[in-house]
Amino acid sequence: MTNMRMMLTLLYLACAFAARAQVAVQGTVRDSVTHERLELASVTVMRHGKPLTFTKTDGQGRFRLSMKSIEKGDVLSVTYLGYRKCTVALGTGEKDLLVEMSPSEFALKEILVRGGPVTGKADTVTYDLSRFADQRDNSLKDILKKLPGVAIDKSGGISVNGKAITRFTVEGLDLTGGRYGKLNETLKAKDVKSAEVIKHDQPVKALQGKVFSDDVAMNIKLKDGAKDKFMFTLSPAALLHLPLKETAAGGKADALQIGKKRQQMYDVEYDRTGSDLSMSHHQLSSSSLSLQRSGITAPQWFNLPSLDAPIDDHRLRFNNSHDWNFRHVRKNEKGEETRLYAGYLHTTENQTTSRSAHYYIDGRQPVTTTEDQSLHLSKDRLRMDYNRNLNEEKKYGNHYILAEASQADGRAMLNGSATGSTAPGEEGDAKNSRLSQRVKSSEIHLQHTFSRMFVYDRHLLSLHSNAEFFHSPSRLEVDGSEYKLTSTLWHTKNDLEWVGNRSFTSTSLKAGVEAEHLNVNGGNTHFSLCAVPYHEIRKGAATWRFRMPVAWERYADHARSFLNVSPSMRLNVKKGNRAEWYLYALMSQNSGSLSSFALDNYRCDYRTTVLNNGVIPRTTLFAAGIDYNYKRPVMEWFWVLGAHYSRSRFNTMQDFQIKDGEYRYRTVERNHANDVFNARCEMSKGWYSLRLKTRLALGYQGVKGQQLSGNRPIGFRSHSVSTSPEIVFSPSWCDVTYSSSFSVSRLNTDDVDLQTLWNWRQSLSLTMTFGKMDCSLSAVHYHNELQSAPPLNTLLADASVVWRMKKLRLSAELRNLFNHRNYIVTSYSGVGSHTGHYHLRPREIFLKAQFSL
């Protein structure tokens, strides 16, 4: 019996030793061009030409094989349909391999095989832009509007299946640093070939397959004949006012060169037609390798007037603007990218408005204020930035320098009145005042950022450092009285991060220090120490992510310290290549910025005063949500559904009162909470054979909160429901586009229930093609319910003719056919309702010629 036990023990130890002697071969298989991880690729270890062991990659493109030993001559063979076979020699010991597979081209005898206009493979959806484009399309933006699942908002931002893209490239390079609006309008429709939408995009190669990303990227590919050559466009324009009393000249010119190693763009534009030239400077994507935005901004104490545009802003902007830009990006043989940008923008805008506001903060009787404003606003902005990055699998580095200067000068003639008062003992007589106001502000912003990342086998180490400086003098003048404030802000943030990666897990730990000093009528200093542990688990189709930031903050001048803990949990579950679930829950704690309590009191504008009591604001946020994303590219079908809830708890409130027509906001220490719930559903379906795209978006938002007035908390609840259908029908002989937005909103306070507002906007555009001529008629119908007047219906219409030649495009447009000059709308916000009257541009003729060289 004893001998038998000894034999069993020896056998067990031998088996355990043999199991421990197993050698693991593991790695990732991905596309060599798009860096997509390939699911279900066949992975085989070959010895002397014979298969030894076999497996397939999982949903993350990962594989793992166990062997007794690796002998000389053993190779790893990887095959995948549509790719060339890849063979990798194996050395001795445990391996973590990266296998990149090249797409293969194959043809059937005497048969031409062509895919559909929309195709999908793993996390990439590819649109064949040459099949969606027609002779009427002038730019890339015109084609993108037709793509199922793709939407473009008013600012030019692109979203795919309801999610905004975080990186935009052309031929793999980011020429604009995330400001791609003008590039989309400059690239000609005839030059683009395809658009690739990459889900779970990880732009840093060293992190691919190691750290999960939920970002979406878009890459545009050009036709071979358009690559590497300069493309010039000259577009002179003229604006004629009816009756013919005044004319204005304008136009733009640009030169563009796009290649895989070098890209550059020069453009200049002068406009008096109501266009917003600053759109080309808006940051539209947030994960560009060239983007090093910290989120820090200099405080603005005075309310600088801005253009208020509840409708298409070109209809109410009276402007004189010019814009000059230079962009350049180059990639050398080592893979280093260098990007340089310089630009100057000047805008002068004029607007005439009338506003009335009803605040329900004094029982059922509202306090009413009115304001008539004639605004003249002038802005100048000069910006230069330099970026250099190295993005390799074993090394990553980024160096960024920014210098920008801006100034704004807003002058307004105002006529205001107030009826009622929330101050104790005040009567409800009307107060009237007529005055002039001027707000002038300048700012200098300097930034220097660098990042380094080094990969050591299954570990990596990264260092990130950012330093910024702001200097902003500003001045407020009200009827000869002058108020001056000068702000100087220094900010730096530095962190060190370690990341470890195993076959299905990733762990990271980040430690950092942050400091800032704000000088405005005295100094205020804040610094913090933080640690951010992170753990990621990838099991089959599921990816769990856990993050626990812990930060200790110190406000030196107030001698106060806080400990903030902000845990979060996120889960992504893929259902094949078509569907994905996303769930999250989080808690976030943070303290207010220095600007929220740096000044005891100050005047914002001619009738608004802010008073602080020195309390540091504290916010605790609880949030949870769920999203479902479905795509079936071959059927041109995209669908997203989501619901989100958040509750914010605060330790301060602003006591809002109106006295003698002046607004007074006084910060007091008082706990309260706000709740927000929203749900959305967006569906998009295309029928390429019919040249038809349809889209429907549904949304709901409910808000519950409190407003303090005279130390009396007033609860409010608002609800809004909206739906936005869209139809694009574009056969060769016509183009019909219909879009609309229907909304229902309601506001209730503890004292009063306000009427339900039913508002909608419907837009219809019809273009008929006769040979090389396109004739268009478009109309927009606004229906607005007003609080103190009957519903208002406004119809605005335009007509245009375009004559297309080989290298010349002539157009004539008649705007505001019916010469409507006024627009009125009511909206709800917090415990108030606001009605605005806007002065519109008159009937005009816009003439334009476009030369393409």
Side-chain angles (χ1 to χ4, degrees):
M1 190 69 176
T2 303
N3 293 336
M4 180 64 69
R5 289 179 179 176
M6 292 178 62
M7 292 178 61
L8 290 174
T9 302
L10 291 173
L11 180 62
Y12 171 79
L13 292 175
C15 292
F17 178 80
R20 293 188 54 147
Q22 296 281 318
V23 177
V25 178
Q26 62 185 13
T28 304
V29 179
R30 71 182 189 185
D31 188 301
S32 63
V33 179
T34 65
H35 294 164
E36 297 177 46
R37 288 167 285 184
L38 303 179
E39 183 180 5
L40 299 179
S42 299
V43 183
T44 308
V45 175
M46 306 292 292
R47 178 174 293 172
H48 307 306
K50 295 182 180 181
L52 187 64
T53 182
F54 165 84
T55 188
K56 285 185 176 291
T57 56
D58 61 17
Q60 301 294 326
R62 296 285 299 176
F63 66 87
R64 182 181 177 87
L65 294 164
S66 296
M67 304 167 53
K68 291 183 179 180
S69 64
I70 296 178
E71 298 181 2
K72 184 177 181 180
D74 288 353
V75 296
L76 189 75
S77 176
V78 184
T79 59
Y80 194 78
L81 182 63
Y83 290 82
R84 296 186 182 93
K85 181 179 178 179
C86 185
T87 303
V88 180
L90 297 177
T92 58
E94 188 172 342
K95 292 290 181 182
D96 195 341
L97 305 172
L98 176 64
V99 181
E100 293 193 322
M101 306 193 68
S102 302
S104 63
E105 298 179 0
F106 60 93
L108 301 176
K109 294 181 179 179
E110 305 297 331
I111 299 177
L112 176 64
V113 179
R114 189 179 187 186
V118 187
T119 57
K121 184 174 62 177
D123 284 333
T124 299
V125 176
T126 302
Y127 296 88
D128 187 345
L129 300 182
S130 62
R131 300 174 69 176
F132 283 96
D134 57 46
Q135 57 187 343
R136 292 180 297 270
D137 295 326
N138 187 37
S139 66
L140 169 63
K141 186 177 181 180
D142 296 333
I143 307 177
L144 294 179
K145 292 178 179 179
K146 302 178 183 180
L147 304 183
V150 176
I152 302 180
D153 60 25
K154 291 175 61 177
S155 65
I158 301 171
S159 61
V160 180
N161 208 9
K163 188 176 182 65
I165 65 170
T166 53
R167 191 163 66 102
F168 182 86
T169 58
V170 179
E171 293 294 338
L173 294 179
D174 182 8
L175 174 62
T176 63
R179 298 173 174 86
Y180 56 79
K182 178 160 285 189
L183 182 59
N184 281 349
E185 296 177 351
T186 304
L187 276 172
K188 296 296 180 287
K190 62 182 179 62
D191 295 326
V192 295
K193 178 183 178 182
S194 63
E196 297 174 331
V197 176
I198 304 100
K199 194 173 182 183
H200 301 301
D201 172 65
Q202 175 55 267
V204 180
K205 293 181 180 180
L207 297 179
Q208 290 175 357
K210 299 180 177 68
V211 177
F212 180 86
S213 170
D214 199 34
D215 292 339
V216 179
M218 176 177 285
N219 179 54
I220 303 297
K221 291 188 174 182
L222 303 187
K223 296 177 181 178
D224 292 338
K227 296 178 183 178
D228 296 312
K229 72 174 186 179
F230 262 108
M231 296 171 282
F232 300 91
T233 304
L234 180 63
S235 305
L239 186 68
L240 310 178
H241 297 273
L242 295 178
L244 293 176
K245 297 180 179 179
E246 182 182 354
T247 61
K252 60 182 179 179
D254 58 71
L256 178 66
Q257 182 189 36
I258 299 292
K260 289 189 175 181
K261 297 294 185 180
R262 180 178 180 179
Q263 298 179 6
Q264 50 192 328
M265 179 178 172
Y266 307 82
D267 64 89
V268 58
E269 185 171 1
Y270 177 67
D271 182 81
R272 295 184 63 182
T273 68
S275 298
D276 184 7
L277 300 191
S278 67
M279 284 289 188
S280 64
H281 300 269
H282 289 186
Q283 191 72 50
L284 300 176
S285 62
S286 58
S287 291
S288 165
L289 292 180
S290 303
L291 174 63
Q292 301 295 327
R293 185 174 58 188
S294 65
I296 299 296
T297 59
Q300 298 297 323
W301 308 105
F302 303 132
N303 293 335
L304 181 70
S306 61
L307 188 79
D308 190 7
I311 62 172
D312 297 333
D313 54 4
H314 70 271
R315 296 191 178 278
L316 44 72
R317 177 182 286 107
F318 296 82
N319 69 309
N320 187 331
S321 308
H322 52 90
D323 189 23
W324 308 71
N325 296 282
F326 161 72
R327 302 172 178 89
H328 176 88
V329 62
R330 187 170 187 172
K331 189 174 184 178
N332 63 20
E333 296 178 354
K334 297 181 180 180
E336 293 179 335
E337 292 182 19
T338 302
R339 188 182 63 84
L340 181 64
Y341 168 78
Y344 170 70
L345 171 67
H346 169 81
T347 62
T348 300
E349 298 174 339
N350 297 282
Q351 186 181 36
T352 301
T353 58
S354 298
R355 301 182 182 90
S356 63
H358 302 277
Y359 295 99
Y360 296 88
I361 52 180
D362 189 24
R364 300 187 62 85
Q365 185 64 33
V367 179
T368 302
T369 64
T370 64
E371 176 189 85
D372 299 328
Q373 176 179 263
S374 179
L375 171 66
H376 176 86
L377 178 63
S378 177
K379 292 183 178 181
D380 294 273
R381 184 174 182 238
L382 177 65
R383 177 188 176 99
M384 294 179 288
D385 65 50
Y386 165 85
N387 176 251
R388 186 175 183 179
N389 72 71
L390 175 64
N391 192 16
E392 297 179 347
E393 295 169 3
K394 297 296 183 180
K395 185 186 298 183
Y396 171 78
N398 203 318
H399 190 199
Y400 179 76
I401 299 174
L402 166 69
E404 62 180 342
S406 62
Q407 68 173 10
D409 189 355
R411 306 184 186 192
M413 295 300 299
L414 299 152
N415 187 8
S417 67
T419 303
S421 174
T422 62
E426 296 292 333
E427 299 180 358
D429 297 334
K431 312 290 183 181
N432 293 277
S433 61
R434 181 174 180 81
L435 48 84
S436 64
Q437 173 183 276
R438 183 181 185 184
V439 178
K440 191 170 184 179
S441 176
S442 303
E443 180 178 294
I444 296 175
H445 177 204
L446 304 175
Q447 180 181 358
H448 177 256
T449 303
F450 77 90
S451 303
R452 295 292 185 271
M453 184 181 296
F454 303 94
V455 180
Y456 307 96
D457 193 15
R458 292 176 305 187
H459 309 278
L460 61 87
L461 190 66
S462 68
L463 172 67
H464 178 82
S465 178
N466 179 73
E468 292 184 76
F469 168 78
F470 297 87
H471 181 71
S472 177
S474 54
R475 183 172 78 246
L476 169 66
E477 299 177 5
V478 180
D479 270 354
S481 299
E482 187 176 76
Y483 308 86
K484 291 183 178 182
L485 287 172
T486 299
S487 302
T488 302
L489 175 64
W490 299 83
H491 175 266
T492 182
K493 184 176 182 180
N494 308 273
D495 55 64
L496 181 68
E497 183 176 17
W498 168 86
V499 179
N501 181 62
R502 304 289 296 181
S503 58
F504 60 88
T505 65
S506 294
T507 303
S508 72
L509 178 62
K510 179 190 292 186
V513 57
E514 181 178 5
E516 61 180 331
H517 178 79
L518 174 64
N519 194 320
V520 53
N521 290 352
N524 292 268
T525 303
H526 162 256
F527 60 89
S528 67
L529 303 174
C530 71
V532 186
Y534 170 82
H535 189 64
E536 178 180 307
I537 302 174
R538 302 177 294 274
K539 268 296 189 181
T543 302
W544 290 81
R545 291 175 289 160
F546 305 90
R547 189 183 300 271
M548 179 73 78
V550 179
W552 176 78
E553 295 187 272
R554 176 69 175 178
Y555 294 86
D557 300 278
H558 287 68
R560 295 290 306 275
S561 300
F562 301 97
L563 184 65
N564 297 330
V565 182
S566 305
S568 67
M569 182 278 292
R570 305 175 193 274
L571 171 65
N572 288 70
V573 181
K574 295 184 67 175
K575 307 294 289 185
N577 289 327
R578 295 181 181 176
E580 183 173 5
W581 288 93
Y582 171 59
L583 300 91
Y584 72 92
L586 61 89
M587 183 188 81
S588 175
Q589 292 182 318
N590 63 78
S591 305
S593 64
L594 293 176
S595 60
S596 61
F597 55 87
L599 295 178
D600 293 334
N601 62 82
Y602 60 96
R603 178 177 287 273
C604 294
D605 56 38
Y606 74 100
R607 67 176 180 186
T608 306
T609 302
V610 175
L611 299 95
N612 290 314
N613 61 358
V615 176
I616 299 175
R618 296 274 295 160
T619 303
T620 301
L621 170 69
F622 302 90
I626 182 171
D627 285 295
Y628 176 74
N629 191 300
Y630 179 86
K631 68 178 188 296
R632 195 172 182 186
V634 70
M635 300 297 293
E636 303 178 55
W637 172 241
F638 300 84
W639 179 35
V640 64
L641 179 69
H644 308 268
Y645 168 78
S646 66
R647 180 177 179 84
S648 301
R649 301 179 63 180
F650 310 90
N651 70 326
T652 62
M653 294 185 73
Q654 283 197 320
D655 192 323
F656 173 48
Q657 297 186 50
I658 301 175
K659 179 181 179 182
D660 295 334
E662 292 199 357
Y663 298 170
R664 296 184 181 180
Y665 293 90
R666 182 171 58 90
T667 302
V668 298
E669 193 168 8
R670 188 183 186 116
N671 295 328
H672 75 290
N674 287 347
D675 297 273
V676 178
F677 175 79
N678 60 71
R680 65 179 181 125
C681 177
E682 184 174 322
M683 298 168 282
S684 180
K685 177 71 174 76
W687 288 270
Y688 174 74
S689 59
L690 301 176
R691 301 297 193 272
L692 178 65
K693 168 194 172 181
T694 60
R695 177 176 171 268
L696 176 64
L698 305 171
Y700 165 79
Q701 183 178 67
V703 179
K704 180 181 178 182
Q706 287 184 324
Q707 174 66 60
L708 191 67
S709 181
N711 286 323
R712 173 177 174 259
I714 304 165
F716 66 86
R717 296 157 296 281
S718 67
H719 305 271
S720 64
V721 180
S722 64
T723 177
S724 302
E726 179 184 2
I727 299 173
V728 179
F729 178 57
S730 56
S732 60
W733 52 276
C734 79
D735 186 289
V736 180
T737 301
Y738 170 80
S739 64
S740 60
S741 176
F742 301 88
S743 65
V744 182
S745 58
R746 185 175 181 85
L747 174 66
N748 310 100
T749 73
D750 291 341
D751 301 320
V752 64
D753 293 339
L754 300 186
Q755 72 180 71
T756 301
L757 298 180
W758 296 75
N759 296 336
W760 63 74
R761 174 191 184 275
Q762 297 186 86
S763 173
L764 178 64
S765 175
L766 172 63
T767 300
M768 299 295 297
T769 299
F770 306 96
K772 294 184 178 298
M773 185 174 293
D774 305 321
C775 300
S776 302
L777 178 65
S778 61
V780 182
H781 172 232
Y782 295 92
H783 173 87
N784 298 323
E785 289 199 345
L786 308 178
Q787 185 180 12
S788 55
L792 178 68
N793 291 281
T794 305
L795 181 64
L796 304 174
D798 306 312
S800 66
V801 177
V802 176
W803 183 22
R804 293 174 279 101
M805 289 169 275
K806 187 175 182 180
K807 293 188 177 182
L808 176 62
R809 189 182 184 101
L810 301 176
S811 63
E813 182 180 2
L814 179 60
R815 298 179 175 179
N816 197 356
L817 281 171
F818 306 122
N819 201 29
H820 285 300
R821 303 304 307 276
N822 293 288
Y823 178 77
I824 308 174
V825 64
T826 294
S827 61
Y828 291 147
S829 175
V831 292
S833 68
H834 309 267
T835 301
H837 300 246
Y838 301 88
H839 184 61
L840 305 183
R841 294 180 69 99
R843 185 187 294 122
E844 300 169 315
I845 297 178
F846 180 56
L847 304 175
K848 181 180 177 182
Q850 177 181 294
F851 300 91
S852 299
L853 306 175

